[in-house]
Amino acid sequence: MASKLYSSITHIIFLLALLYSTTSARNSTTPSVSICNSTPYPGLCSSSLQTNNDTANVYDYGRFSVRKSLSAARKFLRLTEKYLQKSHALTTGAIRALEDCHLLAELNIDFLSSSSQVVDKAQTLSAIQADDVQTLLSAILTNTQTCLDGLQETASSWSLKNGISTPLSNYDTKLYSVSLALFKKGWVHKKKKGPSSTSKKQGALEKGHFSVKMSKKNKAIFEKVGRRKLLQDTDSDVDQIPVSEMVVVSQDGTGNFTTISDALAVAPNNSVASDGYFLIYVTAGVYEEYVTITKKMKYLMIMGDGINQTIITGNRSVVDGWTTFNSSTFAVLGQGFVGVNMTIRNTAGAIKHQAVALRNGADSSTFYSCSFEGYQDTLYVHSLRQFYRECDIYGTVDFIFGNAAAVFQDCNIYPRLPLANQFNAITAQGRADPNQNTGISIQNCNIRASDDLASSDGTTETYLGRPWKEYSRTVYMQSFMGELINSDGWREWAGDFALNTSYYAEFNNRGPGSKTDGRVTWPGVHQIGAADASNFTVSNFLLGDDWLPQTGAPYSGGL
């Protein structure tokens, strides 16, 4: 009897063990595990995106992660407001960093709301729609990292770092990364290749002539200020730039306003592309003011009288207590912005270290025939999609930096003389996640020493770039490189950081600095062919054929 009982119990235990092992095996291969393993943080994905639906797929997880991210962004915004209410107990630097975080959190809420609306409606997106959402989700990570960087720069308070930085880096950033990975896995398909050979789009702004479609009233304004020569005949084969309204800024009082900021105060909010541009024409002069194109000032164009004619200048710097983000003389957030024929400067000097001339975080933005002048961190290509054509860029350390998808075409890049014992790094690209569709592409540009560097003793080392963040990505193609470029090409950031994960590439460059046989041999450094280079052209990297024609700027879509 005892033996039969023992046998029965043993049989039951065996069946239970078999059932448990079968269930465990089934659970280990559930869709949730498989889906989350495709993200950088599978553990956080599984624990944060729990669902009772056994048939949930990558689209379900993607939608849920975006909604969860939106909730986290709103929570963080409230946290920044809580700390700002106690600003009397904080340093000026901490307050400025928090104000940056507040602005960036508002942008993240906007971007996540827009992304959620798209993914909730469709499981299949066009290439342009998918790129739009991937761009927004990429920018959310960039905004969050910018907030953390600013706190690190200026906020010495233990409570501030632990109260904001720790939860932001430990949870929010990872959740945003999961959302981006899930979206890319579910919705992003391989982009259709644009033109791979040279294809030039003539723009209405080309060669100093402007074909502007505007009202008789605005034409009269142009004529009154002596700008008749800018108007071409309406039967020109060049597309005209649609302009809804125009104002003139002139320091002598002959225009509508004497400052750019006053003109911006009357700009419309939330325009759409079909409305045409609100055009601010800024006559020659030196404008000592800090200009901000807010996120609501969409499809706005500022046109000056030319490089070194219309000059906008400021001198904020990190040394003087500003964050890098808010040290800029000119800041742009409004979608579709176009800047033409002006110089933007930061005159803080090399001694003040990080001091930004232009900070650009505007999607589908364009600068044509402009000059950006500074030393360290001159041009902050912060986020989203940007195009620069026939611009001059001056600087020393990391003077083209940020994490936008940015293409520079036919530009002049002038490394300057830095402080003693400093070296020049032209780029410091900030891609921090492998799924971000960001990077710096420098095409058909000229890289030469500025006058002060050219006349120096020749001991300054100048590099193509260095990896600011882990997945830094920069491509030089079809450009002239002067002899100032160090034969190594690229310089490390700190030790072996990002040497394996960054992506640095060169294609068909020319000039004495373009020789690649002496380049560093990091795994992330590549000499590429036309097929790979075409991925970083205007048509493919920016999908620029969809939005650049309206700007009036000329561009080449391919190689």
Side-chain angles (χ1 to χ4, degrees), residues 482-499:
E483 61 184 359
L484 76 163
I485 300 300
N486 187 286
S487 60
D488 285 351
W490 309 89
R491 175 136 178 172
E492 70 278 359
W493 184 270
D496 61 358
F497 172 75
L499 303 190

Side-chain angles (χ1 to χ4, degrees), residues 160-208:
L160 191 62
K161 284 186 178 180
N162 285 274
I164 288 188
S165 298
T166 301
L168 193 62
S169 58
N170 286 352
Y171 180 74
D172 291 14
T173 301
K174 294 177 180 178
L175 179 61
Y176 300 153
S177 183
V178 167
S179 293
L180 175 60
L182 291 172
F183 177 80
K184 185 177 180 182
K185 181 177 176 64
W187 281 269
V188 175
H189 42 78
K190 195 170 184 179
K191 297 175 186 175
K192 294 180 180 179
K193 295 291 182 185
S196 58
S197 59
T198 300
S199 60
K200 186 170 184 178
K201 167 70 177 178
Q202 185 180 4
L205 298 175
E206 194 169 16
K207 296 178 182 177

Side-chain angles (χ1 to χ4, degrees), residues 15 135 142 145 171 187 193 228 232 275 282 321 373 376 431 444 492:
L15 291 175
T135 296
T142 302
Q145 187 62 56
Y171 180 74
W187 281 269
K193 295 291 182 185
R228 184 190 297 269
Q232 293 179 336
D275 292 337
V282 184
E373 300 176 9
Q376 182 171 346
R431 185 166 169 255
N444 198 39
E492 70 278 359

Side-chain angles (χ1 to χ4, degrees), residues 66 69-70 73-74 77 102-118 136-137 140 143 270 294-296 298 333:
V66 170
S69 294
L70 179 57
R74 287 171 174 157
L77 179 65
H102 188 272
L103 170 63
L104 294 162
E106 288 182 325
L107 291 172
N108 280 355
I109 290 170
D110 291 345
F111 295 166
L112 284 162
S113 297
S114 297
S115 300
S116 182
Q117 290 173 11
V118 174
L136 294 178
L137 295 178
I140 289 159
N143 290 342
N270 298 315
T294 69
K295 65 179 182 178
K296 292 183 179 181
K298 299 178 181 179
L333 290 173

Side-chain angles (χ1 to χ4, degrees), residues 501-535:
T501 51
S502 57
Y503 181 87
Y504 290 143
E506 297 175 65
F507 166 72
N508 201 23
N509 296 303
R510 60 195 185 278
S514 68
K515 298 175 182 177
T516 60
D517 52 357
R519 293 295 191 247
V520 291
T521 57
W522 311 338
V525 171
H526 308 273
Q527 310 305 320
I528 58 174
D532 289 329
S534 69
N535 292 323

Side-chain angles (χ1 to χ4, degrees), residues 211-470:
S211 179
V212 182
K213 183 179 181 181
M214 57 171 64
S215 66
K216 290 182 179 179
K217 175 184 175 183
N218 285 335
K219 283 188 180 181
I221 294 174
F222 257 66
E223 293 170 2
K224 181 179 178 181
V225 296
R227 305 302 292 175
R228 184 190 297 269
K229 64 182 180 180
L230 298 182
L231 295 175
Q232 293 179 336
D233 295 334
T234 55
D235 61 357
S236 168
D237 60 357
V238 178
D239 293 337
Q240 291 184 317
I241 304 167
V243 172
S244 61
E245 189 176 352
M246 174 187 161
V247 296
V248 177
V249 177
S250 182
Q251 291 178 326
D252 63 9
T254 59
N256 304 97
F257 303 97
T258 57
T259 70
I260 301 168
S261 297
D262 286 343
L264 288 171
V266 302
N269 288 332
N270 298 315
S271 298
V272 295
S274 58
D275 292 337
Y277 291 100
F278 180 83
L279 172 60
I280 299 175
Y281 163 51
V282 184
T283 62
V286 179
Y287 295 82
E288 296 181 4
E289 56 180 304
Y290 295 95
V291 175
T292 299
I293 313 300
T294 69
K295 65 179 182 178
K296 292 183 179 181
M297 297 177 185
K298 299 178 181 179
Y299 296 96
L300 186 144
M301 180 183 292
I302 295 183
M303 182 186 300
D305 267 334
I307 291 174
N308 293 329
Q309 298 298 312
T310 297
I311 300 168
I312 305 165
T313 182
N315 62 0
R316 290 175 178 168
S317 69
V318 168
V319 169
D320 287 336
W322 301 90
T323 62
T324 300
F325 184 79
N326 61 32
S327 70
S328 57
T329 300
F330 196 111
V332 189
L333 290 173
Q335 181 179 356
F337 177 82
V338 179
V340 187
N341 281 359
M342 55 186 171
T343 292
I344 300 171
R345 288 178 181 159
N346 189 312
T347 61
I351 196 68
K352 294 298 181 73
H353 297 282
Q354 297 98 322
V356 176
L358 171 69
R359 187 193 84 228
N360 187 0
D363 196 26
S364 306
S365 56
T366 304
F367 282 87
Y368 173 54
S369 189
C370 291
S371 181
F372 311 105
E373 300 176 9
Y375 287 85
Q376 182 171 346
D377 290 2
T378 302
L379 177 52
Y380 196 173
V381 289
H382 182 263
S383 54
L384 304 169
R385 293 166 291 198
Q386 310 176 13
F387 178 65
Y388 298 82
R389 172 81 178 203
E390 295 174 37
C391 292
D392 298 337
I393 308 145
Y394 296 81
T396 56
V397 181
D398 307 335
F399 65 97
I400 302 174
F401 76 111
N403 195 27
V407 174
F408 294 83
Q409 201 170 82
D410 294 13
C411 293
N412 297 308
I413 298 172
Y414 296 111
R416 305 175 83 165
L417 184 66
L419 295 174
N421 301 317
Q422 280 188 332
F423 59 86
N424 288 333
I426 296 172
T427 64
Q429 205 282 326
R431 185 166 169 255
D433 187 287
N435 293 309
Q436 289 178 305
N437 59 350
T438 55
I440 292 172
S441 174
I442 295 176
Q443 181 185 18
N444 198 39
C445 293
N446 291 298
I447 304 166
R448 304 175 188 272
S450 65
D451 291 342
D452 61 347
L453 182 60
S455 61
S456 68
D457 61 10
T459 60
T460 299
E461 295 178 334
T462 298
Y463 298 89
L464 299 175
R466 58 182 187 146
W468 182 27
K469 303 295 181 184
E470 190 172 1

